[in-house]
Amino acid sequence: MTRRRTKAREGDLVIVEWTDSASTDSWMRLQDARQQENDGLIHCRSVGWLTKLSPKAMTVHGSETPTQVMATISIPRSCIVKIERLRTREA
């Protein structure tokens, strides 16, 4: 597989880089909370077929049959850092 910088369309195999929120469930010093790396956010990457792209979100799925998809994730567009279309090598 090679990365290709072109506009992704529904059905394309893509890699999406995005930022996710994070939380803790324990006490920490205020100073430590203010000094968290990346402002406490998590940098994520998801790979799959682009199911749907709308003004608010994009949905990617990891498995598919001719009529069904599985392992979907919907990512708010405001969280997306980068989208790259992947091209598969054909035999």
Side-chain angles (χ1 to χ4, degrees):
M1 253 183 271
T2 57
R3 291 183 185 191
R4 191 173 180 191
R5 290 185 182 270
T6 58
K7 187 165 184 157
R9 295 184 298 238
E10 291 178 3
D12 287 344
L13 184 60
V14 295
I15 182 167
V16 184
E17 293 186 24
W18 53 287
T19 303
D20 198 2
S21 57
S23 65
T24 62
D25 62 353
S26 61
W27 287 95
M28 72 171 71
R29 295 180 323 158
L30 180 58
Q31 179 181 356
D32 294 339
R34 289 180 174 154
Q35 293 177 351
Q36 288 185 69
E37 196 173 312
N38 298 323
D39 293 325
L41 302 174
I42 300 171
H43 184 77
C44 304
R45 290 189 299 177
S46 297
V47 177
W49 285 271
L50 182 54
T51 311
K52 181 179 179 181
L53 187 58
S54 74
K56 291 185 179 183
M58 78 176 304
T59 301
V60 175
H61 65 274
S63 298
E64 63 181 17
T65 71
T67 59
Q68 298 179 352
V69 297
M70 183 178 149
T72 63
I73 183 169
S74 294
I75 306 165
R77 293 286 297 259
S78 60
C79 296
I80 296 172
V81 176
K82 182 167 64 170
I83 304 168
E84 286 188 58
R85 191 172 101 187
L86 301 176
R87 184 177 63 190
T88 57
R89 292 189 183 123
E90 307 219 1

